[in-house]
Amino acid sequence: MNNKKRWTIIDTLIVVLVIVAGVAVFKVFGGNTNKFGETKTIDAVVLLAQEEPEVGEAITVGDEITISLAEKDSGTLKDVRVEPSEIMTYNSIDGKYVIEPVENKVDIYATVELKVTENDFALTCGDSVIKVGEKLPFRGKGYALTGYVIEINE
């Protein structure tokens, strides 16, 4: 009648093993445990393709650039290179691909200095992920464009 359960060493061992197994599962499947990571400064080159020539003239070195729609992820424009825009087309007469200029359009290569956080999985500037091929809003005073990151220099 006296069925009082007592805590034993076996019970303690089981609890410890369950906790260790839980921590191991979290480490393996729990995602990024180094969320904040290391803060550093990088230069990201953003290609703004086939824009009007006036836009290329409006973008100047030193502009404060916002790279998100939330207006909190920003950097400083370090360099701007404007080149005539070109496109690859197929010449069906010769059977070859040729590169032809696009009339009244320019390609803008903008180098932006960004303060990013490097963690195990990505470089992030606020809520924006910075990686090659990533499409980013590119907004400054007097212009709002969309471009692609084509190069990252640390």
Side-chain angles (χ1 to χ4, degrees), residues 54-130:
E54 294 80 17
V55 175
E57 295 169 5
I59 299 174
T60 57
V61 173
D63 285 354
E64 190 70 21
I65 302 298
T66 303
I67 58 160
S68 73
L69 298 175
E71 295 191 20
K72 61 181 177 178
D73 308 331
S74 63
T76 305
L77 193 60
K78 285 181 62 178
D79 185 37
V80 178
R81 189 174 83 235
V82 180
E83 297 180 358
S85 187
E86 297 178 330
I87 190 167
M88 183 182 292
T89 59
Y90 181 71
N91 184 339
S92 59
I93 296 171
D94 296 337
K96 296 180 181 178
Y97 288 94
V98 293
I99 296 176
E100 296 180 351
V102 178
E103 290 185 34
N104 297 324
K105 297 290 182 179
V106 293
D107 290 340
I108 304 165
Y109 297 87
T111 303
V112 183
E113 183 179 69
L114 300 168
K115 290 185 180 175
V116 298
T117 302
E118 179 182 27
N119 58 33
D120 294 340
F121 300 103
L123 296 171
T124 56
C125 181
D127 293 335
S128 301
V129 175
I130 309 298

Side-chain angles (χ1 to χ4, degrees), residues 4 11 18 21 35 40 52 58 62 73 81 88 98 135-136 141:
K4 218 179 201 187
D11 296 328
V18 167
K35 182 178 179 183
K40 63 181 178 178
E52 299 293 328
D73 308 331
R81 189 174 83 235
M88 183 182 292
V98 293
K135 184 177 181 180
L136 294 175
K141 191 171 185 176

Side-chain angles (χ1 to χ4, degrees), residues 37-54:
E38 173 186 346
T39 302
K40 63 181 178 178
T41 302
I42 63 164
D43 293 336
V45 179
V46 179
L47 170 61
L48 308 163
Q50 297 187 6
E51 298 293 341
E52 299 293 328
E54 294 80 17

